[in-house]
C-alpha cells in the first residue's frame, strides 16, 4: 500500500499457491517463518542445487573424523557436542554449540540425548530444537563415519554422515547438514540456514518387525525448543504435499527467506519505508556495518552486499512514490 506521504507500506501477504496438489513449491512456512525448499522447486531462485562437498578423508576429503562418536546400532547410540566457529541462530535463539548424533540429527546446544527411534516432528520425541537430516537408527560399523569441517571460504560448518548403515536392513546412507553463518547468508529474521545434501539415499527401515522399536523409515525436518513448532518434510516414507521425494543427489534448504515476517527496505522494522530507513542505512554503512541492523533488510538489490547501491535503490523507491 502506497500513501500520499511517500511511505511504502508492506502488508503481510499469504504466499501464492500454485497447483493442486502443490508442485514446485516450498514446504511452509511454519508459525515462526521457516520454509524447506527442495532442489525440485525450480520456480524459486532460493531453491538449492545439489553440489556435494566431500569431507571424508577416505574419499579425498579434508574433514575431521569424529572418532569419539561410536555407534554399533541396537541401542549402542552416541552423540558428541562440538563448538561452532560462529554463532548460529535458530528460531530466534543463538547457539555456540551443537550436538551431533550418530542417528542422523543435530541438536542445538549441548544434550546427552542419542535418540535412535525417530518420531513425527514437531513432537516430544527426540531432542529439541533439532535439525533431522536422516533421523533413523543408524550404525557406524562396517565403514560408517561422521566428519565435520569448517569451510572458511564458504562461511559454513559441514557435518557429514558418511557411508553409515541403517540398523534394520544395513543399507548405506551418505548425507550432510551444512550450517551457514548468518553473518554472510542474510535472512529476514536473522536466523541461520541449513543446507541438507543427499549423496546416497536408501530409506529402507520398514514399519514391520524390529522397526517398531527402531523407527519407521526416516524423519527429516526441523523443530523449535518447545517441540511444538516446526516442519516435517517426511516421516514413515510419507511426504508432505509440497515435498519432492528424496533420492540420490538431491538437496533441501531450511531457511526463513521467503518469509513475510519482514520485507527488504524496512530496516527500521516499522512496516514503512521512508526517509528514516534511508538515514538508518547510511549510518549502518558509515559505521562499518554495526550489528544492530539486519543485513537482509538492507540488501535492497539482493546481491549479498550492503553498500551505496542499496542506498540509491532505497532513495529511488521512496522518490518514485
Amino acid at each position: 500500500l502506497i500513501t500520499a506521504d511517500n511511505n511504502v507500506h508492506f502488508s503481510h501477504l499469504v504466499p501464492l499457491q500454485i497447483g493442486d496438489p502443490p508442485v514446485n513449491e516450498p514446504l511452509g512456512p511454519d508459525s515462526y517463518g521457516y520454509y524447506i525448499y527442495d532442489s525440485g522447486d525450480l520456480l524459486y531462485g532460493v531453491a538449492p542445487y545439489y553440489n556435494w562437498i566431500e569431507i571424508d578423508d577416505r574419499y579425498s576429503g579434508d574433514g575431521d573424523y569424529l572418532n569419539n562418536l561410536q555407534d554399533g546400532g541396537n541401542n549402542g547410540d552416541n552423540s558428541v557436542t562440538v563448538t561452532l566457529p560462529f554463532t548460529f541462530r535458530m528460531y530466534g535463539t543463538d547457539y555456540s554449540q551443537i550436538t551431533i548424533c550418530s542417528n542422523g540429527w543435530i541438536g542445538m546446544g549441548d544434550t546427552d540425548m542419542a535418540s535412535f527411534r525417530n518420531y513425527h516432528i514437531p513432537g516430544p520425541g527426540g531432542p529439541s530444537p533439532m535439525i533431522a537430516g536422516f533421523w533413523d537408527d543408524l550404525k557406524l560399523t562396517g565403514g560408517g563415519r561422521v566428519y565435520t569441517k569448517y569451510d572458511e571460504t564458504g562461511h559454513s560448518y559441514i557435518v557429514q554422515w558418511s557411508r553409515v548403515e541403517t540398523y534394520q536392513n544395513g543399507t548405506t546412507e551418505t548425507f550432510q547438514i551444512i550450517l551457514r553463518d548468518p553473518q554472510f547468508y542474510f535472512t529476514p529474521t536473522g536466523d541461520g540456514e541449513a543446507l541438507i545434501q543427499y549423496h546416497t539415499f536408501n530409506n529402507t527401515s520398514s514399519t514391520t518387525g524390529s522397526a517398531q522399536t527402531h523407527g519407521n523409515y526416516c524423519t527429516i525436518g526441523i523443530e523449535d525448543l518447545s517441540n511444538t513448532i516446526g516442519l516435517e518434510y517426511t516421516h514413515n516414507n510419507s511426504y508432505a504435499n509440497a515435498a519432492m521425494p528424496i533420492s540420490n543427489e538431491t538437496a533441501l534448504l531450511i531457511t526463513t527467506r521467503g518469509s513475510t515476517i519482514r520485507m527488504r527496505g524496512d530496516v527500521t522494522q516499522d512496516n514503512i519505508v521512508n526517509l528514516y530507513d534511508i538515514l538508518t542505512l547510511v549510518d549502518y554503512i558509515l559505521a562499518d556495518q554495526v550489528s544492530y541492523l539486519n543485513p537482509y533488510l538492507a540488501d535492497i538489490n539482493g546481491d549479498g552486499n550492503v553498500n551505496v547501491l542499496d542506498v540509491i535503490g532505497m532513495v529511488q523507491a521512496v522518490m518514485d512514490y
Side-chain angles (χ1 to χ4, degrees):
L1 175 63
I2 301 165
T3 59
D5 58 359
N6 282 337
N7 293 330
V8 183
H9 299 254
F10 295 110
S11 60
H12 289 214
L13 302 177
V14 177
L16 178 65
Q17 300 297 307
I18 304 173
D20 185 22
V23 291
N24 293 329
E25 289 186 356
L27 175 64
D30 64 12
S31 61
Y32 182 81
Y34 273 105
Y35 293 79
I36 301 180
Y37 294 84
D38 59 55
S39 46
D41 290 330
L42 302 179
L43 298 179
Y44 296 85
V46 70
Y49 61 92
Y50 175 83
N51 184 25
W52 186 253
I53 305 171
E54 184 60 69
I55 65 172
D56 186 333
D57 59 8
R58 298 170 298 175
Y59 299 89
S60 302
D62 58 353
D64 298 315
Y65 171 35
L66 291 184
N67 56 11
N68 58 335
L69 184 62
Q70 302 294 326
D71 179 14
N74 196 22
N75 301 331
D77 307 281
N78 191 212
S79 60
V80 297
T81 299
V82 300
T83 299
L84 292 172
F86 50 80
T87 299
F88 188 81
R89 178 172 295 181
M90 183 171 171
Y91 286 102
T93 300
D94 291 335
Y95 297 94
S96 60
Q97 294 180 313
I98 59 171
T99 299
I100 302 171
C101 182
S102 58
N103 293 314
W105 54 260
I106 287 175
M108 296 297 112
D110 181 19
T111 177
D112 58 2
M113 296 185 70
S115 303
F116 69 92
R117 183 175 180 179
N118 57 300
Y119 296 90
H120 283 290
I121 53 176
S128 53
M130 75 180 301
I131 301 173
F134 190 105
W135 183 13
D136 199 355
D137 194 1
L138 302 176
K139 56 184 180 180
L140 304 183
T141 53
R145 291 184 178 184
V146 179
Y147 287 81
T148 64
K149 177 185 176 180
Y150 175 40
D151 180 0
E152 294 187 59
T153 302
H155 309 293
S156 58
Y157 188 79
I158 306 169
V159 182
Q160 178 176 322
W161 289 258
S162 187
R163 287 77 184 175
V164 300
E165 296 181 356
T166 57
Y167 172 76
Q168 185 188 11
N169 290 324
T171 54
T172 301
E173 319 291 341
T174 298
F175 58 97
Q176 53 191 202
I177 299 177
I178 303 173
L179 302 181
R180 293 175 168 177
D181 187 344
Q183 294 298 311
F184 294 90
Y185 294 88
F186 306 149
T187 66
T189 58
D191 290 89
E193 296 183 325
L195 175 66
I196 309 179
Q197 300 201 108
Y198 297 94
H199 177 283
T200 307
F201 184 84
N202 294 299
N203 190 20
T204 59
S205 297
S206 70
T207 58
T208 60
S210 63
Q212 295 299 324
T213 300
H214 295 280
N216 299 329
Y217 292 93
C218 73
T219 299
I220 297 172
I222 56 167
E223 70 175 22
D224 77 336
L225 180 61
S226 71
N227 60 58
T228 60
I229 301 172
L231 292 173
E232 181 179 275
Y233 193 86
T234 183
H235 170 77
N236 196 19
N237 210 29
S238 177
Y239 287 82
N241 252 2
M244 173 193 71
I246 296 172
S247 59
N248 294 349
E249 301 186 357
T250 53
L252 303 176
L253 178 65
I254 300 171
T255 179
T256 58
R257 280 195 279 171
S259 171
T260 56
I261 293 176
R262 296 285 182 259
M263 301 297 292
R264 276 196 172 107
D266 182 19
V267 294
T268 59
Q269 300 187 32
D270 61 358
N271 294 324
I272 301 171
V273 176
N274 58 18
L275 179 61
Y276 294 106
D277 295 288
I278 297 173
L279 295 176
T280 302
L281 180 55
V282 170
D283 288 342
Y284 175 80
I285 294 172
L286 293 179
D288 194 26
Q289 303 189 0
V290 291
S291 60
Y292 67 83
L293 186 149
N294 184 333
Y296 177 92
L297 307 179
D299 183 17
I300 308 304
N301 60 9
D303 65 355
N305 300 296
V306 178
N307 52 35
V308 68
L309 295 178
D310 298 296
V311 176
I312 294 172
M314 187 180 293
V315 170
Q316 289 176 337
V318 173
M319 293 301 294
D320 285 346
Y321 298 111

